[in-house]
Amino acid sequence: MNRAFSRKKDKTWMHTPEALSKHYIPYSAKFLGSTEVEQPKGTEVVRDAVRKLKFARHIKKSEGQKTPKVELQISIYGVKILDPKTKEVQHNCQLHRISFCADDKTDKRIFTFICKDSESNKHLCYVFDSEKCAEEITLTIGQAFDLAYRKFLESGGKDVETRKQIAGLQKRIQELETENMELKNKVQDLENLLRITQVNSSPAGSVTPKSPSTDIFDMVPFSPMSPQSSTPARNGTQPPPVPSRSAEIKRDLFGAEPFDPFSCGAGDFPPDIQSKLDEMQRQRWRGSKWD
């Protein structure tokens, strides 16, 4: 292993100071993972972590799992590990928490660094696989340390505190964005559930009752086989009821009921006519008595 931080004075860095202080240098690599280590630095410490993660990668490869690719963004503020497609930050290793960085001279594809976790305060060793850029990435991290240290001396240590505050705010923003995304997903799930509930609550196979068909005069056609319908007419009024007729009343050949002046009420005729009808009624009664 080769420590990247112990450079010689005549060492020429690969990038301009502005590229690392105002922007970042991106690299692509495969992420073997991270594992906890007992010491913040040391060649043997890193070597054991590399063996452990290589063995874990071989097991996952035998199970059909591929080593995930990541994007590294290196600047004087730290090393960010992102998803190359979504640009989502998976790990944000601040530079003042990185204590050791090295590339493997026996396997030029492997490089690693040790960083102290901000939440658990444990030292984690991050291991990467890059086919062509392992040594270059290690030197870039070393140059970022050199520039950050110079800036620290120029600012009298105030810049480090400012970076810590900015890093804390960035972490809080990331947490709020994650919470916001979770709330959006919950709202979407509730809307889908409400939509499904409304569909299931509607009566299945319900048919809207149809009004009876009418003729050209807007009247319901008469059917002698069906009883009298109580459906109101189109204008909203109920048709008048059909008067009931006694089946015992006989009718003439014209369909009219026979007239019987004696079955009428007393108040149906004028007094003079009514008196003659009464007289005829008494004579009729007398004739039937003698018979």
Side-chain angles (χ1 to χ4, degrees):
M1 292 286 181
N2 179 39
R3 288 194 61 178
F5 304 151
S6 59
R7 70 177 186 87
K8 297 180 180 180
K9 292 183 179 180
D10 58 350
K11 178 72 175 180
T12 302
W13 294 118
M14 302 179 61
H15 309 286
T16 61
E18 292 76 12
L20 285 167
S21 60
K22 296 182 180 180
H23 304 283
Y24 58 84
I25 306 299
Y27 289 100
S28 297
K30 292 181 179 180
F31 186 32
L32 274 67
S34 62
T35 182
E36 183 181 354
V37 292
E38 296 181 357
Q39 300 296 327
K41 59 183 179 179
T43 302
E44 291 299 326
V45 174
V46 171
R47 189 170 293 162
D48 292 340
V50 171
R51 289 198 201 99
K52 180 179 179 180
L53 292 175
K54 276 187 174 181
F55 180 74
R57 183 185 66 168
H58 286 307
I59 294 177
K60 292 181 180 180
K61 188 176 181 180
S62 63
E63 295 175 351
Q65 299 182 23
K66 296 182 179 180
T67 305
K69 294 182 179 180
V70 295
E71 177 183 335
L72 300 177
Q73 294 181 357
I74 304 173
S75 68
I76 62 172
Y77 301 106
V79 180
K80 289 184 178 180
I81 305 173
L82 300 88
D83 184 283
K85 295 182 179 180
T86 63
K87 301 300 179 181
E88 180 183 359
V89 179
Q90 299 177 353
H91 303 278
N92 186 11
C93 302
Q94 301 172 18
L95 201 67
H96 68 276
R97 291 185 174 274
I98 298 177
S99 56
F100 190 81
C101 180
D103 58 274
D104 191 348
K105 293 305 180 182
T106 60
D107 188 352
K108 295 184 178 182
R109 300 166 56 100
I110 301 299
F111 69 96
T112 179
F113 62 84
I114 298 176
C115 180
K116 189 176 183 180
D117 186 69
S118 59
E119 296 181 358
S120 63
N121 286 328
K122 296 179 180 179
H123 292 93
L124 302 177
C125 183
Y126 294 81
V127 181
F128 302 89
D129 184 343
S130 178
E131 185 175 357
K132 298 179 180 180
C133 302
E135 184 178 4
E136 180 180 340
I137 293 173
T138 305
L139 293 175
T140 302
I141 296 176
Q143 183 181 359
F145 265 97
D146 184 75
L147 292 173
Y149 181 69
R150 291 181 184 180
K151 196 172 183 180
F152 169 77
L153 294 178
E154 293 174 359
S155 63
K158 296 180 180 179
D159 188 62
V160 175
E161 295 298 327
T162 303
R163 288 205 303 269
K164 288 182 179 179
Q165 294 176 3
I166 293 175
L169 292 175
Q170 290 176 344
K171 181 180 179 181
R172 181 56 181 164
I173 291 173
Q174 185 176 354
E175 292 175 353
L176 292 175
E177 289 178 349
T178 303
E179 293 177 2
N180 187 29
M181 183 62 65
E182 292 176 355
L183 290 175
K184 285 183 178 180
N185 294 334
K186 289 182 180 179
V187 170
Q188 185 66 35
D189 293 340
L190 290 175
E191 290 179 352
N192 295 336
L193 181 61
L194 179 60
R195 191 177 297 109
I196 295 174
T197 304
Q198 290 177 347
V199 171
N200 294 336
S201 61
S202 60
S206 59
V207 180
T208 304
K210 297 181 179 180
S211 58
S213 59
T214 57
D215 55 14
I216 57 175
F217 300 104
D218 199 25
M219 298 182 66
V220 179
F222 171 73
S223 177
M225 301 300 296
S226 61
Q228 182 67 25
S229 174
S230 60
T231 304
R234 282 294 183 93
N235 57 6
T237 60
Q238 189 72 19
V242 178
S244 60
R245 297 179 179 272
S246 175
E248 298 179 357
I249 300 177
K250 297 181 180 180
R251 303 175 182 273
D252 56 15
L253 73 167
F254 297 103
E257 298 179 3
F259 174 72
D260 186 1
F262 301 105
S263 62
C264 298
D268 295 340
F269 301 101
D272 53 345
I273 298 177
Q274 186 63 42
S275 60
K276 292 182 179 180
L277 289 174
D278 293 341
E279 181 64 25
M280 292 173 63
Q281 181 68 20
R282 287 193 294 271
Q283 291 179 2
R284 182 180 179 185
W285 179 76
R286 291 172 184 173
S288 62
K289 184 178 179 180
W290 288 108
D291 293 339

